[in-house]
Amino acid sequence: MRAASTRPPEAAAARRTGEAAGRRAWWRARSLKGVGYTAPTAAIVVVLFLAPLVLVFWMSLNRWPLLGPSRFNAPDNYTRIPDNPLFLDAVRFTLKYTVIVTIMLLAVALGLALLVQERRRGVGFFRTTYLLPSGVGFAAAALLFYGFYSTEIGPIHGILRSLGLIEDTFSFRGTPNSALFSTIALVIWRFAGFQMLILLTGLQSIPLELYEAARVDGATRWQAFRRITVPLLRPTLALLLVLSVSGSLLAFDQFFILTQGQPENSTLTMVMVIYREAFFRFDLGAAAALSVIVLLVLVALNALQLRVLRRRD
C-alpha cells in the first residue's frame, strides 16, 4: 500500500520534469533559429562596419604610407591636426555649408509638403514631379548641373541673357559664394522631394480634429501651424535634421564634381581633405585620424540634436 501511494506523486513529478525539459528544448530551438536568421546580417555588420572601424582607428595610431610598412607613432597623427590649415578651413566651410543647406532644404521641403498636403485634382502629379529628382543618382545629378552651369554647353546663360538679367558670361563657380550656392541649388533640387515625402507622411498623421478645434477657437493659420503642426512634426523633423546634418558634414560628391574645391580651395570639405591626405599625400594614417575626429563630431552632434528635438514641452 505504501509503494502504491507514492507512485502518483513520482509520476506527476516525472511528467513535470519532462514538460520542463520539453519547454527548454523548444526555447533552445527557437533561440537557435533566431540566431540563424540574424547571423547573415550580423556578419555583414561585422565585416563591412565594425572591422573597417577598428582598422581605421588602428591606422590613425600609425604612420601608414600607401606603399611600404607602417610604424606606430601615436599620437602624432592627432597632435598634427591643428597644424593642418587646409583641414581647419575645411571645417569652417563645412559647418557653414551644413547650416545653410539644412535650413534651406528643410524650408523648401516643408513648403512643398504643405502645398501638396490636401487632396485635390492634380495633386498626385505635383507630388510625383517633386519626388522625381530623388530618383537620380547624386553623382549623375552633379554632372547634370555641371553641364547646366557650363558657359559652353549649358542652357542657363542663354536663358538669363534672353531675359536681360545678364549681359556677359557669368561663372556660377567663379567666386566662393557663387560656387557654394550653386552647389546648394543642386542639393535642394536632388533632396527636397525626398524630404517632402517624409514630411507629408508626418503631416497626414496629424488628426484633422485638432485643426477643426483650433478653427472653432478662432486660431489663425499661423497659430495652428505653430501650435499644432510643428510640435506634432517634431519626431519627423528630428529624423530629417539628423539625415541632413549627417549628409552635409560628409559632403563630397557634389563639391568634388562641381567645384573640385575651387576657387582657391574655398569649397573644400572635410571629406575632401581626408581624400587628399590619403590619395594625394599618400598618408593614410593622417587621413584615418581626421576620419576618427569627423566621426566623433558627427556622433556628438546627432546625439545633441536628437536630445534637444525629442525633449517634451
Side-chain angles (χ1 to χ4, degrees):
M1 294 294 294
R2 183 178 300 174
S5 64
T6 58
R7 285 178 183 173
E10 292 177 356
R15 186 169 60 254
R16 288 193 297 270
T17 303
E19 291 175 355
R23 286 193 297 268
R24 286 195 297 269
W26 184 83
W27 279 109
R28 189 180 301 110
R30 185 181 178 88
S31 301
L32 291 176
K33 186 182 294 186
V35 171
Y37 284 138
T38 58
T41 303
I44 292 175
V45 170
V46 170
V47 173
L48 299 181
F49 179 73
L50 293 180
L53 191 63
V54 172
L55 178 60
V56 166
F57 180 73
W58 173 246
M59 291 172 63
S60 69
L61 302 178
N62 292 264
R63 185 183 182 280
W64 201 296
L66 187 63
L67 300 174
S70 60
R71 178 173 55 83
F72 187 79
N73 68 342
D76 290 352
N77 290 329
Y78 290 96
T79 57
R80 287 185 300 164
I81 290 178
D83 299 330
N84 189 341
L86 204 60
F87 181 73
L88 298 180
D89 291 340
V91 169
R92 286 189 285 268
F93 171 75
T94 305
L95 293 177
K96 174 184 175 181
Y97 164 75
T98 299
V99 172
I100 296 175
V101 78
T102 298
I103 295 174
M104 294 182 65
L105 182 58
L106 188 59
V108 172
L110 183 57
L112 294 177
L114 292 173
L115 284 175
V116 299
Q117 178 185 6
E118 299 180 2
R119 292 185 176 274
R120 58 171 68 96
R121 177 175 292 184
V123 73
F125 169 77
F126 289 103
R127 290 178 181 177
T128 305
T129 302
Y130 297 152
L131 187 61
L132 278 178
S134 63
V136 182
F138 201 16
L143 288 173
L144 179 66
F145 270 69
Y146 186 89
F148 283 162
Y149 293 146
S150 173
T151 57
E152 299 176 356
I153 62 174
I156 297 180
H157 289 84
I159 295 174
L160 294 178
R161 277 196 295 268
S162 64
L163 295 175
L165 298 178
I166 60 174
E167 296 181 358
D168 201 358
T169 300
F170 174 76
S171 176
F172 286 94
R173 295 165 290 149
T175 64
N177 286 332
S178 63
L180 171 62
F181 285 99
S182 297
T183 307
I184 289 176
L186 158 66
V187 175
I188 292 176
W189 178 84
R190 171 62 176 76
F191 289 103
F194 172 73
Q195 292 202 3
M196 176 211 69
L197 182 63
I198 298 178
L199 287 168
L200 186 60
T201 304
L203 287 172
Q204 292 182 343
S205 67
I206 300 175
L208 295 178
E209 291 80 4
L210 296 177
Y211 293 106
E212 294 174 357
R215 192 178 303 113
V216 170
D217 291 338
T220 63
R221 286 182 176 270
W222 169 248
Q223 289 173 334
F225 175 77
R226 187 165 58 93
R227 297 292 186 179
I228 298 175
T229 305
V230 173
L232 294 180
L233 273 181
R234 180 169 292 175
T236 306
L237 294 173
L239 171 64
L240 290 180
L241 282 177
V242 169
L243 293 176
S244 183
V245 170
S246 301
S248 301
L249 290 177
L250 300 178
F252 177 76
D253 298 21
Q254 58 269 46
F255 290 103
F256 186 78
I257 295 175
L258 274 182
T259 69
Q260 294 86 41
Q262 302 304 317
E264 299 177 357
N265 295 327
S266 60
T267 57
L268 274 180
T269 64
M270 295 186 294
V271 179
M272 291 179 70
V273 174
I274 294 172
Y275 177 83
R276 287 192 174 193
E277 289 289 329
F279 301 108
F280 283 84
R281 299 186 60 191
F282 306 117
D283 192 349
L284 299 184
L290 294 175
S291 301
V292 172
I293 296 299
V294 171
L295 175 62
L296 294 177
V297 171
L298 188 62
V299 170
L301 285 177
N302 285 336
L304 178 62
Q305 64 182 340
L306 281 175
R307 182 177 180 181
V308 171
L309 290 171
R310 288 181 176 177
R311 184 181 57 198
R312 294 185 180 273
D313 292 333

